[in-house]
């Protein structure tokens, strides 16, 4: 789960904050096939240490994956503390409901920390490239422990080899900050194993024959189902399972619940926020145009003028505002190709702050 710049999505112009730096338009292409971790070749300028392109890596980390939303600590006004960029967040998400976990109910509620990703000894400096990839793609710590699946390693597992190398190459350039992330774990025991990665062959693939948008839609699939991890927040949880686990029979059907208190949102937001249904059903995106979806992705604005609620990292200065127009259109074309799944959700209608 990625924590957005909560205040920006509602009243961006009034918040004196800047999110992680601008993306690059260089080499943001992605494969058109169902890509595994070895699905593409490096076609970019290599970093001597990793064989990856740090410019491409910056675009993935700062924009598509919005890593800073979880891994950069916040100032009191909710803005990211850029003096501690990617230095870890001791409580990026709270668990305030006493959720049952592998060891039973958590009492008192706790916080989940996001680790330090900067190039410091308390971060990733002493980790090998493979150890870093094992964490963000396979959910495995160097100690052998599993990561909580709140970190969507089970989504990033399908990142191409070139993109995964690019991410590592960019993280090697992040200035080191001395901060050892601490956490009051929201469940009483660590995960007993890692979550299985998404099988992309079971996620909708557009038809190719007679489809002029096929290549664009396949690029959109890779972004939505892998690098931008849209599939994570916009897939409902399986009923009765804790920690929350995605319902893999209803990819992109939305209606996943996010608790206002867990996300540290102000009280002008509803107590529970539900992610949007992104399928072509009337309860989803039926009737929307490509331009409508691009506007929602980049500006956080709905066709009726309403604003997109967090945790969607959209809106003025938010990470998705930096998505290239081509990538945003590819995502939109892919989403409009999704078969309909009926899954109505309550609208998020925040009151003025």
């Amino acid at each position: 789960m990625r924590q957005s710049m909560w205040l920006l999505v509602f009243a961006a112009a009034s918040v004196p904050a800047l999110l992680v730096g601008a993306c690059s338009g260089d080499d943001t292409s992605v494969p058109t096939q169902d890509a595994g971790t070895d699905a593409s070749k490096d076609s970019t300028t290599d970093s001597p240490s990793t064989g990856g392109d740090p410019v491409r890596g910056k675009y993935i980390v700062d924009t598509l994956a919005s890593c800073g939303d979880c891994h950069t600590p916040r100032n009191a006004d909710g803005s990211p503390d850029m003096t501690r960029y990617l230095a870890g967040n001791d409580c990026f998400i709270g668990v305030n409901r006493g959720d049952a976990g592998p060891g039973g109910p958590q009492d008192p509620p706790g916080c989940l920390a996001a680790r330090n990703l900067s190039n410091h000894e308390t971060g990733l400096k002493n980790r090998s490239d493979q150890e870093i990839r094992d964490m963000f793609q396979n959910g495995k710590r160097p100690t052998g422990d599993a990561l909580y699946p709140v970190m969507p390693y089970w989504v990033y597992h399908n990142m191409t080899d070139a993109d995964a190398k690019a991410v590592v190459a960019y993280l090697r350039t992040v200035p080191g900050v001395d901060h050892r992330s601490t956490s009051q774990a929201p469940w009483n025991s660590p995960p007993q194993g890692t979550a299985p990665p998404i099988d992309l062959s079971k996620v909708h693939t557009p038809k190719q024959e007679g489809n002029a948008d096929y290549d664009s839609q396949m690029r959109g699939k890779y972004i939505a189902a892998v690098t931008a991890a849209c599939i994570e927040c916009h897939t409902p949880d399986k009923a009765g399972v804790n920690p929350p686990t995605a319902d893999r029979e209803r990819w992109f059907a939305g209606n996943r619940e996010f608790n206002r208190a867990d996300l540290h949102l102000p009280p002008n937001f509803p107590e529970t926020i539900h992610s949007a249904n992104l399928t072509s059903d009337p309860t989803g995106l039926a009737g929307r145009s490509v331009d409508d979806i691009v506007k929602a992705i980049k500006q956080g604005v709905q066709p009726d003028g309403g604003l997109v609620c967090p945790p969607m990292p959209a809106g003025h200065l938010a990470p998705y505002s930096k998505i290239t127009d081509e990538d945003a259109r590819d995502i939109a074309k892919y989403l409009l190709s999704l078969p309909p799944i009926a899954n109505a959700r309550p609208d998020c209608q925040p009151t003025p702050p």
Side-chain angles (χ1 to χ4, degrees):
M1 183 188 311
R2 288 166 303 155
Q3 181 185 14
S4 177
M5 169 62 96
W6 310 125
L7 300 180
L8 281 177
V9 297
F10 187 74
S14 65
V15 178
L18 291 175
L19 270 169
V20 174
C23 69
S24 166
D26 296 339
D27 190 37
T28 56
S29 59
V30 293
T32 57
Q33 68 269 36
D34 282 327
T37 53
D38 297 311
S40 72
K41 298 179 180 179
D42 281 314
S43 60
T44 57
T45 303
D46 288 347
S47 165
S49 62
T50 67
D53 172 24
V55 175
R56 170 68 177 170
K58 177 178 175 63
Y59 179 61
I60 295 172
V61 169
D62 287 356
T63 302
L64 295 179
S66 307
C67 301
D69 277 0
C70 294
H71 290 272
T72 298
R74 299 280 163 176
N75 295 310
D77 65 356
S79 63
D81 181 356
M82 296 306 292
T83 66
R84 296 188 293 161
Y85 168 61
L86 293 183
N89 191 337
D90 291 339
C91 189
F92 85 93
I93 185 169
V95 177
N96 299 312
R97 294 168 290 169
D99 284 346
Q106 174 74 7
D107 186 24
C111 281
L112 187 63
R115 69 161 296 146
N116 185 347
L117 302 185
S118 74
N119 196 31
H120 188 271
E121 288 82 359
T122 57
L124 299 179
K125 184 175 183 178
N126 297 330
R127 300 302 181 192
S128 70
D129 293 357
Q130 188 58 51
E131 285 175 330
I132 295 172
R133 289 187 60 172
D134 278 342
M135 285 187 278
F136 80 81
Q137 289 193 283
N138 299 317
K140 296 179 181 178
R141 298 183 185 276
T143 59
D145 293 334
L147 291 172
Y148 285 110
V150 172
M151 167 64 191
Y153 58 82
W154 45 278
V155 179
Y156 299 144
H157 178 84
N158 289 307
M159 199 176 287
T160 64
D161 190 56
D163 278 352
K165 287 180 178 179
V167 168
V168 175
Y170 174 61
L171 292 177
R172 296 293 191 200
T173 73
V174 175
V177 179
D178 186 354
H179 177 233
R180 193 174 300 278
S181 299
T182 58
S183 178
Q184 296 176 345
W187 297 287
N188 287 337
S189 61
Q192 298 305 301
T194 57
I198 293 175
D199 181 351
L200 283 184
S201 69
K202 295 183 179 179
V203 180
H204 171 69
T205 297
K207 66 175 185 178
Q208 183 172 10
E209 185 177 358
N211 181 3
D213 287 328
Y214 176 76
D215 287 346
S216 173
Q217 290 168 348
M218 288 301 293
R219 290 193 299 269
K221 176 180 179 177
Y222 177 71
I223 299 169
V226 184
T227 52
C230 310
I231 197 170
E232 178 207 3
C233 288
H234 290 276
T235 296
D237 291 330
K238 187 175 292 186
V241 178
N242 267 314
T245 303
D247 183 344
R248 297 183 179 224
E249 300 299 318
R250 297 194 292 166
W251 295 124
F252 294 109
N255 219 354
R256 180 178 173 185
E257 293 188 2
F258 296 87
N259 185 270
R260 180 184 67 201
D262 292 352
L263 301 178
H264 313 298
L265 287 171
N268 59 294
F269 286 94
E271 183 175 350
T272 303
I273 297 172
H274 301 78
S275 62
N277 182 347
L278 300 184
T279 74
S280 57
D281 189 76
T283 60
L285 299 181
R288 304 285 180 96
S289 68
V290 168
D291 288 341
D292 288 337
I293 298 172
V294 168
K295 189 173 183 180
I297 292 172
K298 299 192 62 169
Q299 300 178 31
V301 178
Q302 303 279 20
D304 62 2
L307 298 181
V308 174
C309 280
M312 177 73 173
H316 183 56
L317 298 181
Y320 281 7
S321 70
K322 303 297 183 181
I323 290 180
T324 65
D325 289 344
E326 179 181 9
D327 281 356
R329 294 187 72 81
D330 288 342
I331 295 169
K333 290 179 180 179
Y334 173 67
L335 296 181
L336 290 176
S337 79
L338 292 172
I341 299 176
N343 198 19
R345 56 126 187 183
D347 289 334
C348 175
Q349 297 178 338
T351 58

